[in-house]
Amino acid sequence: MKSSLLWMQDYVHVDMTQDPQAFADTLTISGIPVEQVEHWGTEIKKVVTGKILKIDKHPDADKLVVCQIDVGSETLQIVTGAPNVREGQIVPVAVHGAHLPGGVKIKRSKLRGVESNGMLCSAHELGFDDSVLLPEERNGIWILPDDTPVGVDAVEYLALQDVVYEYELTPNRADCFSMVGLSREFAVLSNQKAKYPDIVVDECEESISGKVKVSIEDEELCSRYAARLLVNVKVGKSPLWMQQRLRKSGVRPINNVVDVTNYVMIELGIPLHAYDYDHVTDHHLIARRAKEGEDMKTLDGVDRKLSGNMLVIADPSKPCCIAGIMGGYDSEVTADTKTVILECASFKGSSIRHTGRALGLRSEASARFERGLDAEGCIASLDRCAQLLQQMGACDVAQGVVDVYPRPQQTVRISFTAAQVNAFLGTEIPEEQMIHILETLQFVIEKDGETLTAVVPSYRRDCTEMPDIAEEVARIFGYENIPSTRPWSNISKGEEGYHHQVSEKVSAVLNGCGLNETVTFSFVHPDSLKKMLFPEGDDVYKAVPILNPITEEFPWMRTTLLPSLMDVLVRNQAVKNESVGIYEIAPVYKPKSLPITELPVQEMYAAGLLYGKRQTGEWPNSAEPYDFYDVKGIVETILSSLGIQADLEVSDFAPLHPGKAAKFVKDGKVLCQFGELHPKVIDNYDVAGPVYVFEMNLTDILPLINLIPDYHKVAKFPASSRDLAFLAPIGTSNADIIGVIQKDGGPYLEAVHLFDMYTGKQVPKGFKSLAYSLVFRSETGTLTDSDIQGPIDAIIAELKETLGCELR
């Protein structure tokens, strides 16, 4: 939202001689943040209005002309190459010694041998951006209206010297998205009384009755719909003063009808729309949901495909407008329009926001509707629009208004006491001062003993309870005037929680393994889960839907971290990063039931991804790519650091490559899935591979974690080791064999590990050779062969009986 201080003078006095930044700071402190202060026209000097009396061809240049310009006090000869100049036009003229924006200085000169005593100015050269200029104004000289006086200061006449505030308003202050709303803040902060437009419409004899019909089919999305009928419409340019105000507000002038609807939207804060009466079937406008797949061409000439949750304004045969966002191409006001239906409505903000994001459309109107508008102000906005057009001589206004308002907006009344507000704020503001502040903000205050009741204005829909009243008092009283005091409640010392300790421990391990932490959005699209090959019906699809997603690409709360890491990989490969090692530790969200009736369960997950080279090929090292054992080693390091011992098993996790996938299991619970991504996943994301990933549920493994390491004294006695090699059936797992060795190894078995696996000519078909190193040690003395042989015999016998393994 932008506001011109010259325009603000219509409602409240603004001292233009004072530092505008100082008052901007005052507004910001009071809760109306001014993002930027723009100074318009301060560099422009010696630019006047001039009339082109005569145009001759340049004697020595085909693209230049010589103009005789009447600037009031004299006639100047000026050479220009502008293609749009004509005799009789009035234009801005920068005379000798003039200054223009950007440090440009104008002086007498000769152009191809012909003297030129100044320059004819375009709108762009006077500081206007092309985005707020009509196409014919973007190239060539700025042609001013025919009634422009000659020889006057162009800066003053065109209101070029101004200060414009650009605001970064919070969503709850929808009332400040208007000049009138801002003027209330200006008035109370400068201890003045604001004055507002006196809205009076002089209706003609023709009546709207029977000529316009309005219906609301969806009262949830449209709470009020009102319309006026404008007849004998003369479409043309709007007055220069209105065009200038619109430009400073960032709006491009189009024609008088459209400009007035935009002007009133900025002035009063409620958007309006104008329809060509003759292009609305049966002159009947209906607020309804779009039909699924319904098409409509919008004012920008783009064909839009609509969905069933979008609100449109339609006639009986077609949609005429995407409600609150953009009008339709077929019913727009053109130079041939003679009769106009003028609408003003109140739409549900969340619906407008959802529709705008789905279509990739956002407008000044939708920005206001999204925040929730005052339905009570619809008629005043209609009348103000009709009044301005009538004052321009652009139309006659038919008698009456068609107004459908099935569920009127309820008046909010908030009861409180001065003592409650002071206790809430920690202040001692007198009751009389509170009442004065609130009444200045247009609240009606009713007093009954010590109890005060604030009748909230219809446009302040953000005020619903006593703390809101206290906030209004505090911000006008001045936060800087409220003394700082210590809290009276008991404060406990903040300490690191156990969950956080675990997350930090895992993060430290992953950093030590050379991975970089990434932070991504906590949202996902169901298509991402399909790209990861999760089958339909998998628990990952039981996700929390978001009513108002930040973008249509993220409609669900995520139930897995893997799609987020893949998105990061896609971006890294797009910028030619040849090696990616990343991880994320973040919550996933699992609903207890759908639809949502209570808060979902948040479970902390850790996930990682490896792609490319483990190390670069700089001498003396060779470039080595990541492989399955890198991701396995990382997972083992994490579990070891958390004091967890788990069994390794083959995994059937859907996103992983069959045969290159594994999982760690403890007491029947899967702690982690890891391995190489399935080739189809790589193809679905259109990335290079191979890619290795892991994902573990930290919440599930919390009961198994032991962050305090076990302490063992340094052994006094030497260890004895034995190597055993077995012929095992090809399908026997290493984990099963080690399980038997640990079970039958006796009290002295200290460690066991596989050091060789062999299949070849010396090994029978259907078997593999597995060699294990067993380490035995006693804390009380040196072990003898007899101490070790018993457990070894038991291991050999058990492996033969249960797993079919023969000692080689």
Side-chain angles (χ1 to χ4, degrees), residues 579-737:
S579 183
V580 178
I582 55 175
Y583 74 92
E584 181 166 14
I585 300 173
V588 300
Y589 304 86
K590 299 181 179 180
K592 298 177 181 178
S593 62
L594 290 173
I596 292 292
T597 56
E598 55 184 320
L599 290 176
V601 176
Q602 294 188 38
E603 296 182 350
M604 189 62 67
Y605 270 49
L609 178 148
L610 300 174
Y611 159 77
K613 301 290 190 295
R614 181 190 310 117
Q615 64 184 26
T616 61
E618 297 178 2
W619 187 88
N621 300 320
S622 60
E624 297 180 358
Y626 286 117
D627 58 27
F628 174 87
Y629 296 101
D630 287 300
V631 69
K632 175 177 178 287
I634 289 173
V635 172
E636 288 176 331
T637 303
I638 293 173
L639 294 177
S640 175
S641 70
L642 299 177
I644 298 174
Q645 292 185 346
D647 298 327
L648 182 66
E649 298 181 3
V650 174
S651 172
D652 58 358
F653 193 46
L656 299 179
H657 192 306
K660 298 182 181 180
K663 59 186 176 181
F664 278 105
V665 180
K666 178 78 171 179
D667 299 332
K669 180 177 290 187
V670 177
L671 306 185
C672 179
Q673 304 272 13
F674 65 93
E676 182 181 332
L677 274 182
H678 198 290
K680 289 184 179 179
V681 177
I682 301 299
D683 292 341
N684 290 341
Y685 276 93
D686 193 22
V687 294
V691 177
Y692 302 92
V693 298
F694 72 85
E695 184 174 57
M696 65 173 58
N697 186 332
L698 296 181
T699 301
D700 276 355
I701 68 176
L702 280 176
L704 307 174
I705 293 173
N706 179 20
L707 294 180
I708 302 175
D710 291 334
Y711 170 73
H712 298 282
K713 292 187 294 183
V714 176
K716 294 181 179 180
F717 301 99
S720 297
S721 62
R722 296 290 186 274
D723 294 341
L724 300 177
F726 296 96
L727 288 176
I730 198 72
T732 305
S733 71
N734 171 59
D736 291 339
I737 294 176

Side-chain angles (χ1 to χ4, degrees), residues 81-97:
N84 64 327
V85 293
R86 302 290 183 271
E87 291 181 359
Q89 291 174 337
I90 300 176
V91 298
V93 181
V95 300
H96 173 71

